[in-house]
Amino acid sequence: MSLDAAIDALLAAGIEIDRKPASVKSKSRDFFWYSPVLKARLDHVTADFVATPKDEGEVIEVLRICHAHDVPVTTRGAGTGNYGQAMPLAGGCVLHLAKMTAIREIAPGRVVCEPGILLKDLDAACIAQSGQELRMFSSTWATATIGGFIAGGSGGVGSIRWGNLRDVGNILRLRVVTMEAEPRVLEITGDDLHRVSHAYGTNGIITEVEMPLAPAYDWVGVFMAFDDWDAALRYGYELGACDGLLLKLITVFEPPIASDYFQRMAPHVGKGDALVALMVAPHALPGWETFSKAHPGRVIYRSDTTVWDRDPGHVFEYTWNHTTLRALKVDPSITYLQIAYGTDDPIARVAAVREALSPEVLQHVEVTRQGGRVALGGLTLVKFTTEERLDEIVAIHERLGAMNFNPHRYTLEEGGRQAVDARQLDFKREADPKGLLNPGKMIAWDDPDWSYDQMYSWPGLKPKAAAE
Ligand SMILES: Cc1cc2nc3c(=O)[nH]c(=O)nc-3n(C[C@H](O)[C@H](O)[C@H](O)COP(=O)(O)OP(=O)(O)OC[C@H]3O[C@@H](n4cnc5c(N)ncnc54)[C@H](O)[C@@H]3O)c2cc1C
């Protein structure tokens, strides 16, 4: 790696470069610290410099020059990912796409834009110009980019209606630049989208995205309290199955999550209250009220009618991984797991896990759609003690049929189901033959025979001393 030569060439090409250690370090970190396991291993990680291209042409230049000088490139949208995805394990260049925010086209049912635009800005423009909105977004809607969501996210607000981000139809087209001696620009559609969606930028840089849109609504945020956890979970699950009611969010929280961790809500809930958070389309409100009459929950907040002393803000900023953020602010020993309870009798599976692990593990359940059926998934809160105990808790979930997508790992495979995505590996061979894109995040690239009997530790991870 000839860093200085690369930087000289980038500066000569007119690329914006940052070499100030403090700002380079801050642009080398994401929300990995949610995990005590990743924090212990990645806290020292920093790039050598940051390149901020203003358009696709400059992205091509950065990849060409870094390829020529064997400088690893790790892409950054807004750095809100949770598994160190945007962290440069081997140093080198962070490619920060914050300036690529143009919207190219808004048309019926779709939008074309650059990857660095924030989800909220993209939504605002689509709503203002066409009365349409994004089908789904991560609860980091206010801070994350569309490119980062596609390359690092998995679903979120809207998944109750549209399923997971990588489900067919939820991403329409991606324009991707390869890292070769002569970088190529590829238009990717159809099944090939799986090559780069949720690939952490390990095999190509997204420079343009085409996403589907849905009619925009002035969604009504709702909080409901239930004396009984089982009743709350059943309510969320059955509401999710109401095909005639349009909702964008259904989330269920085991007590005492709401009273202990949601500070603006504490005056309005009891310690024993389970909480349900919803986003209901205005025209669906009467139907929702009819449905809710048959259930024991009480509405404690509606964004269209209720005024609290302290406004709670967006209901969705209590859900998905915002729940963990709010809990961490109160209790730094909290961490989380990502659990799939599936579609076959998921309520029984949640009950079995709760029976075995509550209150060391508290249920935060997201109700989504999977293959046309209602699914339950957890961003479960865990009181962290030791890594060994965390692994035991994971093993208990697996024994009870609750699938763990481990957020305490920085590789694609371990964050998934311990298996390589062959489409992503094959594409990396083609698009990044030197393996310079976000190195250390794809085990199969470095160690195809890895056994997964322990946590993988990438040998190229820059040691602490070298980083300081
Ligand atoms: C409080 C909180 C709540 C969250 N809620 C959700 C949620 O509801 N759903 C969800 O899925 N995630 C969630 N996340 C994780 C994260 O916020 C989202 O995945 C977000 O959309 C990532 O966007 P970003 O711009 O911050 O991406 P970054 O963190 O910057 O990048 C994510 C990954 O994508 C790669 N990347 C970024 N841009 C590109 C590009 N143009 N081309 C190629 N690769 C690229 C990066 O290298 C990295 O591997 C949450 C995180 C926090 C802290």
Side-chain angles (χ1 to χ4, degrees), residues 75 77-82 85 97 138-140 145 149 154-155 200 206 320:
T75 311
T80 68
N82 279 120
Q85 300 118 304
L97 300 178
S138 50
S139 64
T140 39
T145 68
F149 185 42
S154 46
Y200 300 1
I206 300 164
W320 295 89

Side-chain angles (χ1 to χ4, degrees), residues 287-299:
W288 162 69
E289 284 163 355
T290 305
F291 170 83
S292 301
K293 275 202 197 94
H295 291 262
R298 56 190 195 281
V299 176

Side-chain angles (χ1 to χ4, degrees), residues 40-159:
R41 290 162 178 78
L42 303 184
D43 209 22
H44 65 286
V45 166
T46 185
D48 295 286
F49 66 96
V50 176
T52 306
K54 59 182 182 299
D55 57 29
E56 182 181 86
E58 291 199 352
V59 169
I60 292 170
E61 243 356 77
V62 172
L63 296 182
R64 182 204 314 275
I65 290 169
C66 287
H67 180 276
H69 295 280
D70 294 320
V71 175
V73 173
T74 302
T75 311
R76 182 184 184 83
T80 68
N82 279 120
Y83 332 127
Q85 300 118 304
M87 296 182 69
L89 303 187
C93 170
V94 159
L95 180 70
H96 195 196
L97 300 178
K99 291 206 168 151
M100 292 179 64
T101 60
I103 297 178
R104 298 260 154 74
E105 185 189 1
I106 299 175
R110 61 188 186 84
V111 60
V112 179
C113 63
E114 289 188 317
I117 188 168
L118 298 183
L119 295 163
K120 78 172 167 63
D121 296 339
L122 184 55
D123 234 0
C126 292
I127 292 168
Q129 291 175 40
S130 71
Q132 301 178 102
E133 64 184 28
L134 289 170
R135 282 180 173 184
M136 72 176 77
F137 50 77
S138 50
S139 64
T140 39
W141 173 82
T143 51
T145 68
I146 187 71
F149 185 42
I150 292 167
S154 46
V157 182
S159 285

